[in-house]
Each structure stands twice: as structure tokens, then as C-alpha cells.
Amino acid sequence: MNKLNIGIVGCGAIGGSLAKAIIKDFAKEARLTALYDIDTLKSAMLVKKLKIRPIVSIDLGGLIRRSDLIIEAASAKSSFAIAKSALALKKNVMVMSVGGIVQGFNLLSKLAFKNNRKIYIPSGAISGVDALKAASIGRVKNVTITTTKNPLGFKGVSYIKDKGIDLSRIKKDTILFSGSAKDAVRYFSQNINVAAVLSLAGLGINKTNVKIIASPQVSKNIHEIKIESHAGNIFTRTENILHPDNPKTSYLAVLSAIAVLKRIFKPVVIGT
Ligand SMILES: NC(=O)c1ccc[n+]([C@@H]2O[C@H](COP(=O)([O-])OP(=O)(O)OC[C@H]3O[C@@H](n4cnc5c(N)ncnc54)[C@H](O)[C@@H]3O)[C@@H](O)[C@H]2O)c1
């Protein structure tokens, strides 16, 4: 079997963990070919930590040309352009910054179809995407996700600044946002990839409901999902341990991307 050449865009918490996993867990099936980060120090630091030495690309185009599968682990601002460039050059793509692609998702899907390539979107830090996908074969009536995080997890979010919310003064559970996934991903793009994934798997960004709560009592990122469907009602709660390199990122998000790679390479596929 020819090895799949994988390139990673973004060498932070997720990109770094995935690079290590590709080398350690998928040595027979894949080759980590290239890394790219707009912060060249980040890519250089990651290469130093790895046992093998992938090429550090100086631009996105160089990485795409060297790879069969491009993993985007960069930012919501850049994920659409990265996915579009990869698909246009007939490469498969895995997207982690899902908040950045929901608006233009139809265009990406059409491009993937036209070029016979795939867009992989891991479930990320939530449970229930499997059941939602199955329920959506029938009729889904309502999907709501409630995300609860420590106020510190919302540091740097411009919506918080614009609303004049002082995160350090939050002493009890406080609803920061309640509305559609469309607005949630616009205002909280770095925090709410899970709402984007849920929208794509279910009712879309206009009809998926999102509530965001800041709670000084919690240290984990908690996602509760309620689904009402003709197949029955589904409720899931995921209490996420945070990634040691980035407290905004849940460790499960990394594992879910590794699980998608496993799905690509291994002969047995479990789950929807
Ligand atoms: N799908 C999910 O469930 C989920 C969960 C957590 C995080 N995420 C998203 O995944 C992305 C990566 O998360 P992380 O924790 O690794 O973040 P991080 O901040 O630790 O790392 C991101 C890296 O990407 C680099 N980068 C930014 N823009 C770039 C660009 N245009 N081109 C190349 N490199 C670029 C940064 O310099 C940084 O090194 C974020 O957008 C985050 O919101 C998704």
C-alpha cells in the first residue's frame, strides 16, 4: 500500500499532537510530509520535537503540493481558504477550525464533489454527532447545544469586549450568548467549533440553537446537547479535559481527529 502523504497547517496544540500521532500510530499507512505555520518559530519548534524531520514549507501552496491529505489546525480566519486551496489542487482535507467553513460550506462541498475529493470534519469535543447523523436520515425537530466554560476560556473574544463584559468579575453562572449557531460562530469562532460541527451534521447554522455560559465553578469545557427527533430524544453531556498546550482546546478534539485518521486507514469502520 502506498503511504498517504499528510501535511499539517498550524503547529500549535492540535497540529503538534496530530504530528506526533501520525508518526507514532500510523507509521505503516502514512508519512508526515510537511508542516506549515505562519509563525515560523512554531513550525521550527515542532520539527525539533519530532523523531522524523518533515519538510517545513515556507508557504501553504508548497505544503499542499507535497501532501495527499492536508490537515487544517490553524484558525477560523484561514480555514476556508486553506480547505478551498487544497480541494482546488485535488487534495483531501481535514478541517479543525470548523467555525470558519460553515458559511461557505456548500461551495467547498461542490468543489470536493467536482474533484472527487473528501472533506473530513472530526466530531471534535462533543458526543452525539453519530446519533444526530443517523437521526437526520429521518426527521430532526430541534438541536440545542449549551457550552459552559470557565470565564478565562473566553479571554480575547471581541464579542465579550464589545459587550463590555468583565470576565474577572463573573462570580456565578452567566449566559454570555443565546441564539443561532450562525451568530455563535461569528462571535465566538475560536470557542465554538462544536456548534459548527453540530450544524453541519444536523439542521444547519440557522436552525441550530446555541447557549454559551461562563461559569467560575468549572475547570472543564462542558458541552450538553439536546436533540429532538422522530427517532427519539437524545441528550449528551461531555466534560472535557483541556489540552495542556492550549486551555481553549479540549483534548478530545485531538483524539477525535486521530479517530478520523483511524477510520481512513483501518479496515473496520465502527459508528455512523
Ligand atoms: N473542531 C474542534 O472541536 C476544535 C477544538 C479545538 C480547537 N479547534 C480549532 O482548531 C484550531 C487549532 O487549535 P489549536 O488549539 O491547535 O490552536 P493553537 O493556537 O495552539 O495553534 C494554532 C497554530 O496555527 C497557526 N496559524 C494561525 N493561522 C495560520 C495560518 N493562516 N496559516 C498557518 N498557520 C496558522 C498559529 O501560529 C498557531 O501556531 C483553532 O482554530 C481552534 O479553534 C477545533
Side-chain angles (χ1 to χ4, degrees):
M1 189 174 78
N2 283 343
K3 286 191 183 185
L4 190 80
N5 293 318
I6 302 182
I8 298 180
V9 185
C11 300
I14 295 183
S17 301
L18 290 181
K20 285 175 204 152
I22 290 164
I23 293 169
K24 186 170 156 274
D25 304 332
F26 301 106
K28 275 195 205 132
E29 299 93 349
R31 187 183 300 115
L32 180 64
T33 318
L35 299 173
Y36 168 61
D37 198 298
I38 35 166
D39 182 346
T40 49
L41 200 63
K42 285 287 195 74
S43 42
M45 269 165 50
L46 178 57
V47 167
K48 265 195 179 173
K49 283 190 206 155
L50 299 174
K51 287 199 182 100
I52 62 139
R53 297 285 160 106
I55 288 166
V56 176
S57 297
I58 50 162
D59 60 12
L60 178 64
L63 178 133
I64 294 176
R65 279 192 295 279
R66 288 191 173 91
S67 316
D68 307 311
L69 168 68
I70 289 87
I71 299 180
E72 177 284 321
S75 73
K77 268 192 203 142
S78 60
S79 57
F80 178 80
I82 293 167
K84 193 173 164 210
S85 306
L87 292 167
L89 287 177
K90 302 199 170 166
K91 306 299 173 94
N92 298 305
V93 65
M94 183 189 290
V95 179
M96 295 308 296
S97 310
V98 192
I101 64 162
V102 275
Q103 292 284 2
F105 192 69
N106 279 347
L107 193 151
L108 294 181
S109 313
K110 280 184 193 152
L111 194 54
F113 180 76
K114 184 175 145 227
N115 287 345
N116 195 21
R117 289 299 177 269
K118 287 215 154 73
I119 306 169
Y120 297 102
I121 300 176
S123 306
I126 48 174
S127 47
V129 174
D130 49 352
L132 178 58
K133 274 164 59 188
S136 297
I137 302 296
R139 190 163 162 249
V140 173
K141 289 183 280 184
N142 192 22
V143 180
T144 302
I145 176 166
T146 304
T147 290
T148 306
K149 291 188 183 187
N150 189 281
L152 293 177
F154 298 101
K155 233 170 141 182
V157 175
S158 48
Y159 177 86
I160 303 289
K161 280 189 214 143
D162 296 347
K163 291 265 169 192
I165 300 168
D166 182 351
L167 293 168
S168 66
R169 298 185 73 162
I170 294 181
K171 302 288 177 230
K172 58 180 177 41
D173 285 13
T174 303
I175 298 175
L176 296 181
F177 173 88
S178 180
S180 68
K182 186 177 180 180
D183 287 338
V185 296
R186 188 185 316 151
Y187 299 136
F188 295 84
S189 61
Q190 291 292 314
N191 294 71
I192 206 78
N193 291 292
V194 284
V197 175
L198 205 64
S199 303
L200 293 176
L203 293 177
I205 47 172
N206 293 316
K207 290 189 184 156
T208 302
N209 307 308
V210 179
K211 205 184 258 190
I212 300 177
I213 297 173
S215 170
Q217 274 79 43
V218 303
S219 57
K220 295 173 179 162
N221 290 348
I222 301 170
H223 302 293
E224 289 183 336
I225 294 171
K226 271 188 192 169
I227 301 163
E228 286 171 41
S229 85
H230 279 189
N233 295 335
I234 298 152
F235 176 72
T236 73
R237 176 180 164 97
T238 314
E239 296 183 359
N240 284 286
I241 303 288
L242 309 183
H243 194 293
D245 296 340
N246 184 355
K248 282 187 185 159
T249 286
S250 301
Y251 181 48
L252 188 65
V254 173
L255 299 184
S256 111
I258 298 172
V260 170
L261 289 176
K262 202 170 159 192
R263 202 182 171 94
I264 295 172
F265 296 128
K266 303 294 177 187
V268 178
V269 176
I270 299 170
T272 56

